[in-house]
Amino acid sequence: MTLLCRDCFHVADTDSQTCPACGSGRVVAHPSLRDLSVAHIDCDAFFAAIEKRDNPDLKDKPVIVGGGERGVVLTCCYIARLYGVRSAMPMFQALKLCPQATVVKPSRNKYTEAAAIVRDKMEALTPLVQPVSIDEAYLDLSGTENVHRSLPAASLARLAAEIERDLQITVSIGLSSNKFLAKTASELDKPRGFAVIAPEEAEALLAPRPVGFLHGVGPKFAARLAQDGFETVGDIQQAELKALIGRYGETGMWLKQVAHGIDRRPVRTDEERKSVSAETTFRIDLSEPAALEDQLWKLCVKTADRAKAIGVVGSVITLKLKTADFKPLTRRVSLPEPTQIAQAIFRAARPLLEKETDGRKRYRLIGVGISELEDYRADASDLLDPLVAKRARAERASDAARAKFGKDAVITGRAARMADKDKS
């Protein structure tokens, strides 16, 4: 058994439950500790932690960061979570659960400044840092042992200690052989945790967990899986791959892989992209709802093509409009599952557009985009709309045909009508 002390960073091969160098009981012990180098780091209750750091009076109080009574919870401290408060919960509901909570409006400049310091410290360890959001990232520390003269696990423990010393906030660390297992590990020991999952133990660890435990399986998809008889990850492990693909398409293949702890995605170092979008300014202001809807569809296709090209999906759809007198309008909606499919983007954005068009109000610009980006893994299934996966497969088949035979090889009825209108 390899032991790492999180206080003095001593590494030893021992069965002891305490550090042989300093006697600390705050240790990480795992037989594969010397072999693993992919990590997920997550700042604990980041926004709330910054607010508590800057106002010591809040230290032992439940804190919610968010808007007014009609707003939502951006994040909350772990004390507030004991009362059932969660991120994205309506504020009125959060305050019913925890009426004694202190509500703090977000201070984004402070959060951005702290996040930049954390990222600098990560990049001092390895150039392979992939931010996921403002407060979490994947790191690949392969090959850094000679540079830092320490195991990746020890370098990570030092990093956590530095962040706590310099910023007075804590982080949780997951260490494994791939991104999925590293993310899973970081969720096991919060806050201020350090958990390790070796690939050979992944199946046994995941098997008894509910399917919603798998990162990437949202509540709606978990409900559909349970309805289909897959209540635990073990149920998915025992299922035939062919049957899963037949029922869920590409998502079935992804499910089978992650249920066994398999994830072949590398830690990417591309510059972090916040959104993917497309917009157009009209030569003549438009007011007719049908004409605006046609333009929206074209932009949804462009946005989807760009998202597919870089391999991302988004869970927030944003509609952008600018009136004839240059007044900007922005409307957003969150999806239950992220997408890069034009049809899905259009079906979410069209109701937003309908609310802003009455045949009289004129617009000079329209745009649409996706944000809250993640790596694409497979097309989501929707419990309330079983045809969503079918539409996704049809769109991807059309993409393949256009790539092989040209952009006019396959066109939708809407696109054909728009082309005829352009010719007339």
Side-chain angles (χ1 to χ4, degrees):
M1 184 72 69
T2 302
L3 176 146
L4 164 67
C5 178
R6 297 179 62 195
D7 288 326
C8 75
F9 317 118
H10 180 71
V11 177
D13 291 316
T14 176
D15 290 331
S16 173
Q17 298 301 307
T18 59
C19 175
C22 72
S24 171
R26 210 166 72 96
V27 298
V28 181
H30 196 281
S32 299
L33 199 62
R34 295 183 181 274
D35 305 321
L36 304 173
S37 57
V38 176
H40 179 264
I41 296 181
D42 192 2
C43 298
D44 299 320
F46 182 53
F47 295 173
I50 294 294
E51 298 298 341
K52 288 195 173 197
R53 177 197 71 183
D54 293 346
N55 184 355
D57 291 341
L58 299 176
K59 181 180 178 182
D60 298 319
K61 297 179 180 178
V63 170
I64 297 173
V65 179
E69 287 190 7
R70 293 176 62 84
V72 297
V73 175
L74 292 178
T75 192
C76 60
C77 71
Y78 285 90
I79 299 174
R81 294 181 193 189
L82 293 175
Y83 293 87
V85 181
R86 295 291 182 269
S87 298
M89 178 180 285
M91 189 64 70
F92 76 89
Q93 184 179 351
L95 291 175
K96 277 186 177 180
L97 292 170
C98 188
Q100 70 273 38
T102 300
V103 179
V104 182
K105 290 184 178 179
S107 306
R108 295 195 178 275
N109 288 340
K110 292 197 302 186
Y111 310 151
T112 301
E113 181 181 352
I117 295 172
V118 172
R119 183 166 177 177
D120 285 345
K121 290 180 180 295
M122 292 178 181
E123 290 177 343
L125 284 187
T126 174
L128 298 178
V129 177
Q130 181 183 345
V132 180
S133 65
I134 190 172
D135 61 347
E136 61 176 316
Y138 293 105
L139 291 79
D140 187 342
L141 285 85
S142 302
T144 64
E145 188 168 347
N146 291 334
V147 176
H148 301 300
R149 299 186 181 279
S150 65
L151 295 179
S155 294
L156 291 165
R158 284 193 178 89
L159 172 64
E162 280 186 23
I163 292 171
E164 191 166 343
R165 179 195 68 204
D166 297 346
L167 294 172
Q168 292 85 56
I169 63 173
T170 63
V171 300
S172 292
I173 297 172
L175 180 63
S176 191
S177 59
N178 63 51
K179 288 162 65 173
F180 173 78
L181 290 178
K183 169 70 173 177
T184 301
S186 72
E187 298 288 337
L188 294 177
D189 186 21
K190 281 181 168 287
R192 204 178 179 228
F194 194 134
V196 180
I197 301 177
E200 60 270 18
E201 64 187 347
E203 288 186 8
L205 184 147
L206 293 171
R209 308 275 179 170
V211 289
F213 178 79
L214 295 175
H215 177 60
V217 175
K220 289 176 64 177
F221 190 30
R224 180 182 176 185
L225 288 168
Q227 187 179 58
D228 292 344
F230 300 107
E231 296 186 351
T232 68
V233 179
D235 294 332
I236 297 171
Q237 291 174 353
Q238 295 170 20
E240 292 290 334
L241 175 60
K242 185 176 180 180
L244 289 172
I245 293 175
R247 188 183 293 266
Y248 306 114
E250 292 180 46
T251 303
M253 178 175 290
W254 171 82
L255 273 174
K256 185 67 171 176
Q257 289 178 338
V258 296
H260 291 279
I262 299 169
D263 183 5
R264 297 186 176 89
R265 298 173 300 156
V267 174
R268 290 178 10 194
T269 58
D270 319 31
E271 187 63 28
E272 184 181 8
R273 179 183 284 268
K274 303 292 185 183
S275 63
V276 179
S277 62
E279 64 180 50
T280 187
T281 301
F282 311 130
R283 292 194 301 271
I284 301 173
D285 296 340
L286 292 183
S287 60
E288 183 186 352
L292 287 163
E293 191 174 292
D294 284 345
Q295 294 296 327
L296 176 63
W297 167 249
K298 289 169 64 175
L299 295 173
C300 288
V301 173
K302 284 186 179 180
T303 299
D305 287 345
R306 291 171 181 174
K308 292 167 187 171
I310 60 176
V312 296
V313 292
S315 57
V316 174
I317 308 299
T318 300
L319 173 71
K320 178 182 177 182
L321 294 164
K322 188 174 288 186
T323 63
D325 57 356
F326 292 88
K327 179 184 177 182
L329 294 173
T330 303
R331 302 291 183 263
R332 292 185 177 87
V333 63
S334 295
L335 303 179
E337 300 288 350
T339 190
Q340 58 175 203
I341 298 299
Q343 284 278 0
I345 298 170
F346 180 70
R347 288 165 68 87
R350 181 169 54 182
L352 302 179
L353 179 63
E354 288 174 348
K355 292 179 181 179
E356 306 301 330
T357 54
D358 57 11
R360 297 187 302 274
K361 193 179 297 183
R362 294 182 299 120
Y363 294 100
R364 68 186 314 270
L365 176 147
I366 186 172
V368 71
I370 60 174
S371 57
E372 297 295 320
L373 303 181
E374 305 174 15
D375 291 339
Y376 168 73
R377 51 171 179 77
D379 294 316
S381 298
D382 192 319
L383 183 65
L384 299 180
D385 185 3
L387 295 178
V388 67
K390 184 177 180 181
R391 286 195 295 269
R393 288 195 296 272
E395 184 168 316
R396 294 196 184 281
S398 297
D399 292 341
R402 281 194 291 268
K404 186 172 183 179
F405 301 111
K407 64 183 181 64
D408 295 327
V410 180
I411 59 174
T412 64
R414 180 185 293 272
R417 176 171 55 78
M418 292 172 66
D420 290 341
K421 185 184 295 185
D422 291 340
K423 292 175 184 176
S424 61

